[in-house]
């Protein structure tokens, strides 16, 4: 929203969080966009429902646009109840069937309240058509987009490494993702253990934080990798971090449309990614990246070593990756949302 809303002109915006305002509220409010917080989180309390009714009466929205499953359900139920006639829900992930089966059921039960869906990839659209029974003509694919300019002025790799405190000879394998089970950091750490004997200078750079961090740090100690893995925590300098990497890896169990991979593409990095349907929309295996079995740490290690041992292959994939990123500019996302909102109002 921070990237999208200032570019989506011709509309007045207001943002409402189910829980607290959060870290990004200040950036949105600096754009003269009001931000509200209901304080209820995933629990739809009576107080949060009343607070939402007050906001709807005050703002009188023509269109209510919701993102992520709890906001989707809350918005369509209480948005309709309080008189909002046009509701757009964003489908953002190919969810794991077993864990999220109840949400597909809820989606199917309440989809009649939704005017239009947007899906961040064809894979996501197909999932909701097949699992939740949503009519395909009701879902419009609008790809995630990124601000390509943020990645156009990165430093030369040697200088970027130095800025982050690394030596020119350090080989940096990076992953930008929350430290959550579905992001599959464990397998990448096991792959690093396979890589180190063949390439002692290899280091793993993990940007992001989350509940898995203590477990992953303990795993690093058990595999004697503590000195070869850097847990950077949450960062606001991702373009600079990407500029220092030699290889980018993403091993998610499931995705919708990975912003992290898009940013790595924009940075012109060779990418190793899990072979899942949404990633195949971004990466043509062997062209602008290499796809791997996300659970096979030995195959992942061999693939990373193959890239690091072959500068020509690395350069070829990097160039193709950078070129393909141009198809996923934030401007493309803005144009798609603009067309949709103008049709609805």
């Amino acid at each position: 929203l921070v990237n999208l809303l200032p570019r989506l002109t011709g509309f007045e915006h207001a943002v409402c969080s189910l829980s607290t305002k959060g870290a990004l509220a200040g950036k949105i409010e600096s754009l003269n966009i009001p931000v509200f917080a209901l304080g209820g989180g995933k629990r739809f309390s009576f107080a949060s429902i009343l607070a939402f009714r007050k906001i709807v009466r005050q703002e009188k929205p023509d269109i209510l646009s919701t993102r992520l499953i709890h906001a989707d359900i809350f918005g369509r139920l209480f948005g309709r109840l309080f008189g909002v006639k046009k509701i757009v829900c964003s489908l953002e992930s190919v969810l794991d069937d077993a864990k999220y089966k109840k949400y597909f059921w809820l989606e199917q039960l309440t989809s009649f309240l939704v005017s239009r869906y947007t899906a961040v990839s064809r894979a996501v659209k197909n999932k909701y058509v097949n699992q939740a029974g949503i009519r395909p003509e009701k879902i419009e694919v609008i790809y995630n987009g990124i601000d390509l300019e943020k990645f156009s002025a990165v430093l030369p790799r040697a200088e970027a490494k130095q800025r982050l405190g690394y030596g020119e000879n350090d080989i940096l394998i990076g992953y930008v993702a929350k430290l959550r089970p579905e992001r599959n950091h464990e397998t990448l750490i096991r792959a690093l253990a396979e890589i180190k004997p063949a390439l002692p200078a290899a280091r793993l750079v993990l940007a992001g934080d989350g509940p898995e961090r203590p477990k992953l740090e303990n795993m690093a100690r058990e595999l004697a990798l503590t000195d070869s893995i850097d847990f950077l925590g949450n960062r606001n300098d991702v373009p600079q971090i990407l500029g220092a990497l030699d290889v980018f890896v993403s091993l998610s169990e499931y995705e919708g449309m990975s912003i992290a991979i898009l940013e790595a593409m924009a940075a012109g990095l060779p990418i190793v990614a899990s072979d899942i349907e949404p990633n195949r929309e971004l990466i043509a295996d062997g062209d602008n990246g290499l796809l791997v079995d996300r659970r096979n740490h030995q195959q992942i290690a061999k693939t990373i070593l193959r890239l690091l041992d072959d500068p020509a292959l690395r350069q070829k994939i990097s160039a193709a990756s950078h070129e393909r990123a141009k198809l996923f500019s934030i401007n493309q996302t803005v144009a798609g949302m603009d067309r949709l909102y103008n049709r609805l109002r």
Side-chain angles (χ1 to χ4, degrees):
L1 293 180
V2 171
N3 288 324
L4 180 66
L5 295 185
R7 294 173 169 86
L8 197 57
T9 57
F11 303 90
E12 292 182 12
H13 305 288
V15 175
C16 181
S17 165
L18 287 183
S19 54
T20 61
K21 284 191 175 184
L24 294 176
K27 290 186 178 181
I28 295 174
E29 289 174 325
S30 72
L31 303 169
N32 295 318
I33 296 172
V35 178
F36 303 95
L38 301 182
K42 296 176 182 179
R43 299 178 183 274
F44 301 167
S45 67
F46 187 63
S48 66
I49 294 168
L50 288 180
F52 183 63
R53 183 179 69 170
K54 181 179 179 181
I55 293 166
V56 170
R57 289 180 173 179
Q58 174 184 318
E59 298 296 319
K60 298 181 175 59
D62 297 294
I63 300 170
L64 176 64
S65 185
T66 65
R67 289 174 178 265
L68 302 180
I69 186 65
H70 296 91
D72 289 342
I73 298 300
F74 185 99
R76 74 185 63 169
L77 290 176
F78 300 112
R80 286 288 191 184
L81 181 64
F82 300 143
V84 183
K85 293 183 171 57
K86 305 291 177 64
I87 296 178
V88 177
C89 292
S90 177
L91 306 176
E92 308 244 343
S93 183
V94 177
L95 301 169
D96 174 75
D97 290 348
K99 186 177 179 181
Y100 292 98
K101 189 175 181 180
K102 62 182 178 181
Y103 292 125
F104 287 120
W105 177 79
L106 271 173
E107 194 68 63
Q108 192 169 31
L109 189 67
T110 61
S111 64
F112 73 97
L113 298 170
V114 180
S115 307
R116 195 77 171 172
Y117 291 91
T118 63
V120 297
S121 66
R122 292 192 304 273
V124 170
K125 176 176 179 175
N126 293 340
K127 190 71 166 182
Y128 278 85
V129 168
N130 295 330
Q131 295 290 325
I134 299 173
R135 300 194 314 274
E137 63 271 16
K138 201 171 183 178
I139 305 176
E140 188 161 336
V141 176
I142 300 176
Y143 285 116
N144 280 337
I146 58 172
D147 184 355
L148 297 175
E149 292 183 6
K150 289 183 179 180
F151 304 89
S152 63
V154 294
L155 297 169
R157 183 162 288 114
E159 189 175 345
K161 286 182 179 181
Q162 187 179 32
R163 288 280 185 94
L164 291 174
Y166 295 105
E168 186 176 350
N169 295 324
D170 286 327
I171 306 299
L172 304 185
I173 303 161
Y175 190 7
V176 179
K178 291 181 180 178
L179 304 183
R180 298 179 60 86
E182 66 270 18
R183 298 307 179 191
N184 203 16
H185 291 81
E186 280 191 42
T187 304
L188 183 54
I189 291 174
R190 294 189 192 282
L192 180 66
E194 298 277 336
I195 291 168
K196 286 293 286 186
L199 196 63
R203 300 187 62 86
L204 184 56
V205 179
L206 302 178
D209 216 334
E212 289 283 285
R213 181 164 180 165
K215 179 181 177 181
L216 296 172
E217 289 177 331
N218 185 57
M219 184 180 179
R221 284 190 293 270
E222 290 176 353
L223 293 173
L225 293 172
T226 300
D227 293 337
S228 298
I229 302 178
D230 299 307
F231 292 88
L232 301 185
N234 292 324
R235 300 288 291 242
N236 58 10
D237 59 345
V238 169
Q240 288 72 35
I241 293 170
L242 293 178
L245 300 180
D246 295 284
V247 173
F248 182 87
V249 182
S250 176
L251 299 179
S252 289
E253 294 284 333
Y254 57 85
E255 285 282 4
M257 174 61 67
S258 172
I259 293 290
I261 290 179
L262 287 175
E263 290 181 340
M265 288 166 55
L269 283 170
I271 298 167
V272 175
S274 48
D275 188 7
I276 55 177
E277 188 178 355
N279 287 350
R280 292 183 213 122
E281 291 184 51
L282 295 176
I283 296 173
D285 189 30
D287 179 27
N288 66 312
L290 297 173
L291 298 175
V292 293
D293 180 348
R294 63 190 182 276
R295 296 189 180 95
N296 188 336
H297 68 276
Q298 292 177 326
Q299 183 202 13
I300 293 162
K302 288 179 181 177
T303 303
I304 293 171
L305 283 170
R306 177 187 167 199
L307 270 176
L308 293 173
D309 290 341
D310 190 340
L313 175 64
R314 202 161 62 246
Q315 180 58 37
K316 167 185 170 292
I317 288 178
S318 296
S321 181
H322 186 263
E323 186 64 27
R324 183 157 174 77
K326 296 175 184 178
L327 301 176
F328 299 94
S329 163
I330 186 69
N331 295 328
Q332 300 294 324
T333 308
V334 170
M337 297 304 297
D338 184 78
R339 287 192 298 269
L340 173 60
Y341 290 155
N342 274 301
R343 285 203 307 270
L344 287 175
R345 69 177 180 176

